[in-house]
Amino acid sequence: MSTPAASIIIVSRERPKALARCLLGVSQLNHPDFEVIVVADVAGLDVVADLPFSAQIKTAFFDEANISQARNLGLAMAAGEIVAFIDDDAVPEPSWLMRLTEPFGDPNVAAAGGYVRGRNGISFQWRASSVDTAGRTRPLRVPSRNPMVFSPPECQAVKTEGTNCAFRRDILMKMGGFDPVFAFYLDETDVNMRLAIAGRSTAIVPLAQVHHGYLPSKRRNSERVPKSLFDIGRSIALFHRKYADQVDAQMAWRVERIEQRKRLLRFMQSGALEPSDVLGLMRSLEAGHQSGSNAKLISLPELPTNGAVFEKFMQTPYNHHVLSGRIWQRKRLRKQAKILVSAKNRVTLVVLSPTSLFHRITFTEDGFWEQNGGIFGKSNRNQPYFQIYGFRSRVRDEVARSNQFRAF
């Protein structure tokens, strides 16, 4: 079965450094037939221009706080059979795109979503869930690591995350792409719901994984403390108006306000917010909801294709290298890893200390994967706090675990 050509669309605003790291990760993908589209502000376009493979990237200028409009701009430039989305503050595992596009060999599959790991590179931010017409999510059981195709449940949709999702381009274009009334929050969930209403199936792909950093923005700081809840309140009101009945919408909104207040109070208890901040943020949530309740809903016309030409990202065949050593050898090993990356190699560096420290995995700005932690510590949060290991056996087991993502 042939691998479908894919267009990767990345929207970036005010995060050029993160965008450069994301694109470095994208350049190491093992998919044989993809193109890259970046929709960004001036700072983002400048950093793209400085990359050694910049000539292979399609770019478009966009500097408004509306991710749906930006994605639609990228869609108009896409020519792949599949369009895949990843955030600028995320990095894909090398096998991400290959695994994410695999389920589209089934003609009934219209969308696919993968798993998202958090800042420590170990724990999951998101795996699989469904969403109902009021925006409430429920976990979906995916019993194995193999892709699983779901037909849309009644009055629900299979949810995908915007930082790790893919769609058939022709279907997404015909349904009008992303609804620009969702400038932020529930934007891809709205697409999921429209696909469900049309009876389209979605695949959940556990091994299609990205690492997501939750970098600061105008809406939140680096610790995910919100600066405004206006857009969230507005999007919730719009989503309820489109899909929920009035009674269910009112009930869901009451619960949402309670949950948001609890979240803000936890931040206040940790010292991240003042009491006055909590009051102000709750007012912004209410103001956003009022705005969404009064906003005009629009009918989405089919997006024009504009005759986009596929511009394949040409890759140098990568070799895979695993470096490992003790904590006191880290400086030398990092230098060696950087040299290997500059020679077009994928590199995983495992640096261990004689401790039980929890493990962390990071894709560095120099383009290699680095895993740090104790020889006896957790690399899976379900493991015991202390495990009996020798250095070599621990490295062997960690490399075997990573092999399913990085294809050594």
Side-chain angles (χ1 to χ4, degrees):
M1 185 182 297
S2 61
T3 303
S7 301
I8 301 173
I9 299 174
I10 306 168
V11 173
S12 183
R13 190 165 184 259
E14 300 177 342
R15 293 197 290 219
K17 191 174 181 180
L19 175 62
R21 190 174 73 109
C22 175
L23 288 168
L24 190 55
V26 166
S27 74
Q28 296 184 13
L29 292 172
N30 63 5
H31 192 284
D33 200 15
F34 70 93
E35 65 176 1
V36 181
I37 300 165
V38 172
V39 182
D41 58 5
V42 170
L45 297 182
D46 285 346
V47 83
V48 170
D50 288 338
L51 295 171
F53 44 82
S54 61
Q56 300 187 63
I57 299 176
K58 294 180 178 179
T59 58
F61 170 73
F62 188 81
D63 193 11
E64 297 177 31
N66 191 310
I67 194 168
S68 293
Q69 286 187 17
R71 285 173 173 163
N72 286 345
L73 185 56
L75 272 173
M77 302 169 64
E81 179 184 347
I82 309 301
V83 286
F85 295 89
I86 184 171
D87 289 351
D88 61 356
D89 60 347
V91 177
E93 288 281 1
S95 63
W96 166 68
L97 189 62
M98 179 71 82
R99 295 188 184 279
L100 191 63
T101 56
E102 181 185 357
F104 291 97
D106 179 348
N108 295 315
V109 172
Y115 283 14
V116 181
R117 292 189 185 268
R119 287 180 179 177
N120 61 22
I122 303 289
S123 304
F124 285 107
Q125 282 179 5
W126 186 88
R127 281 182 272 199
S129 65
S130 63
V131 60
D132 66 15
T133 54
R136 295 174 292 235
T137 59
R138 295 178 178 84
L140 277 177
R141 184 172 178 270
V142 181
S144 75
R145 296 182 300 180
N146 298 322
M148 188 169 181
V149 178
F150 292 87
S151 297
E154 186 177 356
C155 298
Q156 296 181 57
V158 178
K159 193 178 186 311
T160 59
E161 287 295 290
T163 192
N164 186 358
C165 59
F167 306 91
R168 288 194 189 276
R169 181 175 60 90
D170 59 343
I171 291 176
L172 194 53
M173 300 288 276
K174 287 176 181 176
M175 63 190 286
F178 292 84
D179 190 339
V181 300
F182 295 97
F184 168 78
Y185 193 67
L186 295 176
D187 37 295
E188 70 276 352
T189 308
D190 172 69
V191 172
N192 298 149
M193 191 58 68
R194 283 185 280 143
L195 287 171
I197 291 170
R200 304 285 188 176
S201 296
T202 296
I204 296 298
V205 192
L207 292 182
Q209 297 191 5
V210 304
H211 297 242
H212 187 217
Y214 276 128
L215 290 186
S217 68
K218 288 187 174 180
R219 296 183 176 94
R220 63 171 182 249
N221 69 17
S222 60
E223 299 303 318
R224 298 185 68 188
V225 180
K227 300 175 183 178
S228 171
L229 295 177
F230 181 90
D231 288 322
I232 289 177
R234 178 180 166 86
S235 290
I236 289 171
L238 289 162
F239 193 86
H240 287 169
R241 288 174 62 198
K242 287 186 74 170
Y243 302 113
D245 65 58
Q246 187 174 3
V247 173
D248 200 24
Q250 289 174 348
M251 185 183 303
W253 175 235
R254 283 197 295 269
V255 172
E256 182 66 31
R257 284 184 298 181
I258 292 169
E259 292 304 314
Q260 288 289 348
R261 187 171 183 275
K262 287 180 179 178
R263 182 168 73 105
L264 297 178
L265 290 175
R266 287 194 294 269
F267 282 127
M268 188 182 75
Q269 290 167 353
S270 71
L273 290 174
E274 296 292 333
S276 59
D277 297 327
V278 174
L279 291 172
L281 286 165
M282 288 303 296
R283 290 194 191 104
S284 73
L285 180 72
E286 296 284 356
H289 191 268
Q290 185 64 40
S291 174
S293 299
N294 297 327
K296 182 180 179 181
L297 294 173
I298 60 175
S299 177
L300 299 177
E302 182 176 335
L303 293 179
T305 58
N306 297 329
V309 176
F310 189 80
E311 297 183 15
K312 182 175 179 178
F313 191 94
M314 302 301 296
Q315 298 169 287
T316 302
Y318 281 92
N319 294 316
H320 303 91
H321 292 264
V322 178
L323 303 177
S324 62
R326 314 281 182 158
I327 188 71
W328 51 85
Q329 299 171 308
R330 182 165 56 186
K331 184 176 181 180
R332 174 181 61 80
L333 290 168
R334 284 176 172 173
K335 183 176 180 180
Q336 186 179 351
K338 188 175 179 180
I339 293 170
L340 286 168
V341 170
S342 67
K344 303 295 183 183
N345 295 285
R346 291 192 196 99
V347 178
T348 291
L349 170 59
V350 181
V351 179
L352 302 178
S353 60
T355 68
S356 58
L357 288 173
F358 286 13
H359 287 221
R360 297 181 64 90
I361 299 173
T362 306
F363 185 76
T364 72
E365 294 176 7
D366 292 319
F368 59 88
W369 295 90
E370 181 171 333
Q371 180 168 345
N372 294 286
I375 296 173
F376 317 112
K378 290 185 178 186
S379 62
N380 181 319
R381 296 309 187 244
N382 294 324
Q383 291 172 336
Y385 281 93
F386 188 90
Q387 304 168 88
I388 302 299
Y389 261 113
F391 174 82
R392 290 184 180 180
S393 61
R394 188 61 194 265
V395 170
R396 183 189 64 238
D397 284 1
E398 293 308 314
V399 169
R401 187 184 61 79
S402 299
N403 185 51
Q404 59 192 325
F405 311 116
R406 257 157 260 162
F408 298 125

